[in-house]
């Protein structure tokens, strides 16, 4: 997820971390919420600016949202009071979001690239472009060594579709398992 948004930022200039008004420029409330932000298009982050253990006021834009830490559903176009323990950052996931994730690894150098965990959030259709390269060089830029995989979620049938990957890079897996 993060690596894909890094590619988008590099290619387009659209930042990974986005002020609320970048996603909804005509909404006055979005312009007023300077302490919360999007991480990509699918995540909304509302940092707790105190020592913790208190309620954080979070504005959720239109649509359905899930609290990242327990998957509790919230209806958007509302302001929620969220308890935030010390060390817990309130994060919400947009309905329809698709998150490609690597399995647990002790180091980024040990992440297996032949396995992918795909998490989809119900409530809306969604799509995500997974960008991959060797993770070390700039051959994605200088030689076009890049692979893009389209992921789609259809809420009506609760289905995730994984398209054939387009492109390749040195060290790309020849097969991959999905969970």
């Amino acid at each position: 997820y993060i690596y894909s948004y890094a590619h988008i930022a590099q290619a387009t200039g659209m930042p990974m971390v986005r002020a609320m008004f970048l996603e909804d420029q005509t909404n006055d409330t979005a312009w007023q919420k300077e302490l919360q932000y999007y991480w990509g298009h699918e995540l909304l982050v509302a940092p707790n600016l105190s020592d913790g253990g208190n309620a954080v006021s979070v504005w959720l834009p239109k649509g359905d949202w899930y609290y990242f830490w327990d998957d509790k559903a919230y209806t958007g176009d509302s302001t929620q009071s969220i308890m935030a323990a010390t060390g817990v950052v309130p994060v919400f996931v947009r309905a329809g979001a698709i998150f490609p994730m690597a399995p647990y690894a002790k180091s980024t150098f040990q992440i297996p690239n032949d396995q992918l965990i795909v998490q989809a959030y119900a409530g809306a259709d969604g799509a995500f472009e997974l960008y991959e390269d060797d993770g070390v060089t700039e051959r994605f830029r200088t030689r076009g060594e890049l692979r893009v995989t389209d992921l789609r979620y259809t809420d009506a049938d609760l289905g995730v579709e994984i398209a054939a990957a387009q492109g390749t890079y040195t060290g790309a897996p020849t097969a991959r398992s999905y969970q």
Side-chain angles (χ1 to χ4, degrees), residues 1 5 8 16 18 23 37-45 64-66 68 91-100 121 126-129:
Y1 179 83
Y5 273 108
I8 292 168
M16 292 168 50
R18 303 169 181 182
E23 294 287 326
Y37 56 87
Y38 286 105
W39 187 277
H41 176 72
E42 293 82 4
L43 292 179
L44 187 152
V45 182
D64 293 324
W65 295 86
Y66 294 91
F68 181 81
V91 178
F92 291 83
V93 183
R94 186 186 302 272
I98 300 172
F99 285 103
Y121 285 81
F128 189 83
E129 284 187 328

Side-chain angles (χ1 to χ4, degrees), residues 2-106:
I2 293 171
Y3 206 77
S4 293
Y5 273 108
H7 271 280
I8 292 168
Q10 182 274 332
T12 67
M14 176 62 93
M16 292 168 50
V17 175
R18 303 169 181 182
M20 297 299 293
F21 64 81
L22 281 178
E23 294 287 326
D24 194 355
Q25 297 182 12
T26 61
N27 188 317
D28 291 340
T29 305
W31 285 85
Q32 298 167 11
K33 297 300 177 181
E34 71 276 357
L35 297 180
Q36 63 184 55
Y37 56 87
Y38 286 105
W39 187 277
H41 176 72
E42 293 82 4
L43 292 179
L44 187 152
V45 182
N48 187 358
L49 302 176
S50 71
D51 290 336
N54 63 316
V56 176
S57 179
V58 181
W59 171 69
L60 299 172
K62 288 182 183 177
D64 293 324
W65 295 86
Y66 294 91
Y67 189 56
F68 181 81
W69 303 113
D70 64 9
D71 288 336
K72 181 178 177 184
Y74 290 86
T75 301
D77 201 17
S78 65
T79 299
Q80 303 292 328
S81 181
I82 305 299
M83 284 305 298
T86 302
V88 176
V89 176
V91 178
F92 291 83
V93 183
R94 186 186 302 272
I98 300 172
F99 285 103
M101 299 180 291
Y104 173 79
K106 291 183 179 182

Side-chain angles (χ1 to χ4, degrees), residues 2 6 16 22 29 57 90 103 108 127 133 135 138 142 144 160 168 173:
I2 293 171
M16 292 168 50
L22 281 178
T29 305
S57 179
T108 56
D133 61 33
E138 290 198 15
T142 60
V160 175
T168 191

Side-chain angles (χ1 to χ4, degrees), residues 98-176:
I98 300 172
F99 285 103
M101 299 180 291
Y104 173 79
K106 291 183 179 182
S107 164
T108 56
F109 286 108
Q110 297 172 345
I111 295 174
N113 64 1
D114 62 347
Q115 301 171 29
L116 191 67
I117 300 166
V118 179
Q119 188 167 343
Y121 285 81
D125 291 347
F128 189 83
E129 284 187 328
L130 175 66
Y131 289 85
E132 300 173 279
D133 61 33
D134 65 15
V136 179
T137 70
E138 290 198 15
R139 289 187 199 133
F140 72 91
R141 192 175 54 79
T142 60
R143 296 185 189 173
E145 290 190 20
L146 174 70
R147 183 159 79 175
V148 180
T149 306
D150 286 329
L151 308 171
R152 298 205 177 280
Y153 170 73
T154 307
D155 196 54
D157 61 7
L158 301 176
V160 175
E161 178 183 319
I162 302 169
Q166 302 296 311
T168 191
Y169 58 90
T170 302
T174 57
R176 175 175 277 160

